[in-house]
Amino acid sequence: MTGGPLELAEKRARAELGRVERRSLGTVSADAAAEFARAAGETSPRLVDPAHPAFTVHPMYLVSLLRGAPGADPEEYRPDGMYRDEVPGTDGLDVRLMAGGQDVRFLGKARPGERIEVRRVLESVERKGKGAGFLLLTVVKTYASERGPLIEVTERFIVR
């Protein structure tokens, strides 16, 4: 390792492997979930009208939550607009970040009024490509309520 930003990101990320982080995302708001569904182009009253007797939270709503209300403070953002802590090991480094894919597994449905917590674990750090190459980081997030896990998301991030 030469000590450049990519090497430092790799060293930092490897130090975080397996470490569990937890964050409260607050309480599921029926109004916010309906707003999300409308923004996603949904028109079914069961997704966009909290007063509908069969109202249900859009399945992707929880996955869209990265912070609880009221959101992040300005110092929590990177210059590229991502959260400083979104990609393990990269905070403050001059590296380029890209989404590398996402797998979502639905385990249950969120309900309005439930408190949601996300559990995040960095599962792998891989060096890929030729020359300096890039890093491929795999992060697993589990969104849960007091009833148990609701969604498991495996995300991959490319760090160059």
Side-chain angles (χ1 to χ4, degrees), residues 55-122:
F55 179 75
T56 188
V57 174
H58 191 287
M60 290 299 289
Y61 176 67
L62 291 186
V63 177
S64 77
L65 299 176
L66 299 176
R67 295 288 191 274
D73 294 323
E75 65 272 2
E76 291 183 68
Y77 292 100
R78 290 172 45 95
D80 61 12
M82 290 183 74
Y83 288 115
R84 296 175 66 98
D85 64 354
E86 186 65 17
V87 181
T90 63
D91 186 15
L93 298 179
D94 185 20
V95 292
R96 291 177 291 172
L97 306 174
M98 298 176 359
Q102 182 181 67
D103 298 311
V104 181
R105 190 167 67 115
F106 298 98
L107 307 169
K109 291 184 178 183
R111 298 177 185 161
E114 286 188 306
R115 292 197 52 74
I116 302 297
E117 179 181 270
V118 64
R119 175 186 185 271
R120 181 174 88 163
V121 178
L122 176 61

